[in-house]
Amino acid sequence: MSFPRSGASPRRRARASAVALALGMALLGAACVPGTDGSGAGSGGAGDATAVPDPSKEGKVTLTVWDQEVRGGQNAEIEKLNKEFQDKYPNVRIKRVARSFTDLKTTLKLALSGNNPPDVVQANQGYADMVAFAKAGMLTPLDNYAGIYGWNSRYPNTLLDLNRVSVDGMNFGTGRLYGLSQTGEYIGLYYNKDVLEKAGVEPPRTWAEFTAALPKLKQEGELPVQFGNLDKYPAIHTFGVLQDQAADGPGQIRNTVLGKGDGFDNEPTRQAARTLADWAENGYLPKGANGTGYDDAAKKFAGGDGAFLLTGTWQLADLKKQMGGKLGFMPPPPGKAGEPLRTTGGQGLAWSVTSKSRHPDVAAAYLEHITNAHAAEVMMDEGVLPAVPGKAAGRAPEGSPDRQMVEGWEQLNEDDGMVPYLDYTTPTIFDTLTADLQGLLEGSLSPDKLVSKMQEEYETFREKQSGEKADR
């Protein structure tokens, strides 16, 4: 995926445009419904909006917002932006309900199906959540607002497309726009400088140097990779990165996630499964990682227990606050020095307007407020990566983890190295794969069995989709 940034060279901008076009074509190939730019979106629930909404004229409004931005930096920037919105529109009160990702994912469907759902929610992309909610008529199409506020030009199509659902509710990546992401994110490699120095290990320049460092760290008495998988989803991120590194290029896995690939019965998936199982067996991961919470593992890493932590950019603000100058960060290093980068990631959960909201115009104005250029500055100041950094990218100090995060984001985009999250692939793969990865880590499921179950999941869903389309 590619994201324009002020100050980028003409070559970089030209390359970025080519990358955006390439992924856009990939997304088009994933479905049969035209209009990934919104041209084929048709009319939706926001069809009456023709001008920039003015919340000050809406009377007294309570805007109920459900989000999962509970970590330090994310919570701080949302709290600041919410206060600014209420100061600008004193007639609007934001009733914020902040939940963890797991809690939000568990409770959102029930909330949306009730008689008094929130006005704004964060919905995960892919079939399990956004597609299901859009198909059930629970979310408001935002295409008109995208035109009114200029979201179509502010955001690359590659980002907007991941928040689109086809009119027939069969595919994501095309059709109507059902959300807007505030943050960019990718799975990167955090490292503790003190732990590496103590073990005589340099920050890796290549993936081979990274994997070679793991046994040396273990030999020196250090935990190579801190990891907690009680919440299940962390393993899907780690597994995705291992899969990305084993593949010939990012397109192999990306095509399958987008529904145009051959699935998971391939060598990169097998190699990723074997590697993760080996890491657990060789003690490169903490013993009993399935019983350690994700946040607890991050705290242990911040406290010096672990040389590396392989997780998302959303952890940067909290880790930086706890570790200061000890913290280092980079995207997963390339296979060989100078080769293109690749990793799992893309953008944060989409912010969506619910179809039963009595204040869709105020909700749309809120989405604009938390995603515009000023919001990007607020996010950068709090150590959060904006989906479209723009000029705000320059606010990160040279040499800081924040600057490493932004520069990594830019390089990944320039390299076309981003692979969407595996849980986008089918409606149920988040539950099945996360459970199976726990089995792989504890040794109750073999790498080959994991691969066969992933392939079966993929084929079953694609066959069901083909059958439903044929019946229409």
Side-chain angles (χ1 to χ4, degrees):
M1 287 175 269
S2 101
F3 310 92
R5 179 196 167 191
S6 176
S9 68
R11 178 179 174 275
R12 173 170 289 185
R13 285 196 291 269
R15 175 65 189 275
S17 298
V19 169
L21 177 62
L23 184 52
M25 293 303 292
L27 285 163
L28 273 169
C32 300
V33 181
T36 55
D37 61 352
S39 60
S43 60
D48 294 338
T50 57
V52 175
D54 183 356
S56 67
K57 297 180 179 178
E58 295 290 328
K60 285 193 174 184
V61 172
T62 296
L63 195 71
T64 302
V65 178
W66 280 30
D67 69 67
Q68 53 99 52
E69 308 299 340
V70 295
R71 303 186 186 285
Q74 289 93 337
N75 181 65
E77 57 99 356
I78 288 295
E79 286 291 316
K80 184 172 183 180
L81 290 170
N82 283 356
K83 182 178 184 306
E84 290 179 351
F85 190 79
Q86 292 175 114
D87 288 345
K88 185 176 181 180
Y89 304 110
N91 60 308
V92 178
R93 182 176 77 90
I94 295 174
K95 182 181 178 184
R96 183 186 179 206
V97 179
R99 299 173 181 268
S100 69
F101 170 78
T102 302
D103 287 346
L104 182 71
K105 190 169 177 57
T106 303
T107 57
L108 189 54
K109 183 177 181 180
L110 182 61
L112 290 177
S113 60
N115 293 325
N116 189 28
D119 297 285
V120 175
V121 299
Q122 278 193 280
N124 198 17
Q125 293 89 348
Y127 292 101
D129 293 341
M130 181 176 284
V131 174
F133 299 154
K135 191 174 183 179
M138 295 174 173
L139 303 179
T140 296
L142 302 175
D143 300 276
N144 283 359
Y145 292 123
I148 290 169
Y149 284 113
W151 297 341
N152 290 327
S153 56
R154 181 194 306 164
Y155 281 78
N157 281 346
T158 48
L159 279 189
L160 292 179
D161 288 348
L162 290 174
N163 293 330
R164 294 190 186 280
V165 178
S166 61
V167 176
D168 60 5
M170 297 292 289
N171 296 96
F172 80 97
T174 184
R176 291 172 175 164
L177 182 68
Y178 281 98
L180 200 63
S181 294
Q182 185 198 35
T183 59
E185 60 186 38
Y186 61 92
I187 307 302
L189 188 64
Y190 295 90
Y191 56 94
N192 186 316
K193 297 176 182 177
D194 287 358
V195 174
L196 289 186
E197 184 177 359
K198 182 181 174 184
V201 173
E202 294 289 331
R205 294 165 300 178
T206 66
W207 187 254
E209 288 185 1
F210 167 64
T211 55
L214 304 184
K216 180 170 184 176
L217 286 160
K218 180 83 187 314
Q219 190 174 20
E220 295 295 325
E222 303 290 348
L223 174 64
V225 181
Q226 183 54 264
F227 179 70
N229 195 43
L230 180 62
D231 306 88
K232 293 187 175 181
Y233 66 84
I236 205 171
H237 296 159
T238 304
F239 182 76
V241 171
L242 297 177
Q243 207 180 20
D244 302 337
Q245 293 294 326
D248 292 335
Q252 186 174 10
I253 305 303
R254 185 165 61 203
N255 285 342
T256 287
V257 174
L258 297 176
K260 57 175 294 192
D262 296 328
F264 298 109
D265 186 10
N266 51 48
E267 183 54 28
T269 306
R270 287 191 187 83
Q271 189 172 327
R274 288 195 295 264
T275 300
L276 189 58
D278 287 346
W279 282 11
E281 185 175 349
N282 292 331
Y284 300 160
L285 304 177
K287 189 176 180 181
N290 281 341
T292 301
Y294 172 74
D295 289 324
D296 290 338
K299 290 176 183 174
K300 289 183 176 182
F301 172 75
D305 185 9
F308 296 106
L309 181 69
L310 195 58
T311 191
T313 47
W314 53 81
Q315 275 284 6
L316 187 136
D318 284 353
L319 291 174
K320 185 179 67 173
K321 184 177 181 180
Q322 297 173 70
M323 298 176 66
K326 298 178 183 177
L327 180 67
F329 177 80
M330 66 175 74
K336 296 180 181 177
E339 286 189 345
L341 299 175
R342 65 182 71 164
T343 192
T344 295
Q347 58 183 344
L349 266 64
W351 296 73
S352 300
V353 178
T354 61
S355 58
K356 291 182 181 178
S357 172
R358 292 183 296 164
H359 313 290
D361 284 358
V362 179
Y366 176 73
L367 263 58
E368 164 65 13
H369 176 74
I370 64 171
T371 59
N372 62 21
H374 168 70
E377 294 177 351
V378 173
M379 283 185 270
M380 283 301 304
D381 291 346
E382 296 294 343
V384 177
L385 180 63
V388 185
K391 294 180 180 178
R395 298 169 81 91
E398 290 284 350
S400 67
D402 309 64
R403 179 58 69 95
Q404 292 169 319
M405 173 179 67
V406 174
E407 290 178 349
W409 177 247
E410 292 178 330
Q411 190 63 51
L412 281 161
N413 296 321
E414 187 168 328
D415 292 345
D416 189 23
M418 213 76 80
V419 179
Y421 295 104
L422 292 170
D423 58 87
Y424 292 2
T425 311
T426 79
T428 54
I429 198 169
F430 178 87
D431 293 328
T432 58
L433 181 55
T434 54
D436 288 343
L437 286 171
Q438 283 199 327
L440 181 79
L441 286 162
E442 68 186 19
S444 62
L445 190 72
S446 71
D448 286 343
K449 185 63 176 177
L450 177 85
V451 172
S452 67
K453 292 187 71 174
M454 291 178 70
Q455 182 67 14
E456 182 180 358
E457 165 96 25
Y458 181 75
E459 289 179 350
T460 300
F461 174 61
R462 302 312 301 183
E463 288 173 5
K464 182 182 178 184
Q465 267 207 325
S466 297
E468 289 178 355
K469 287 179 180 177
D471 291 339
R472 287 174 180 268

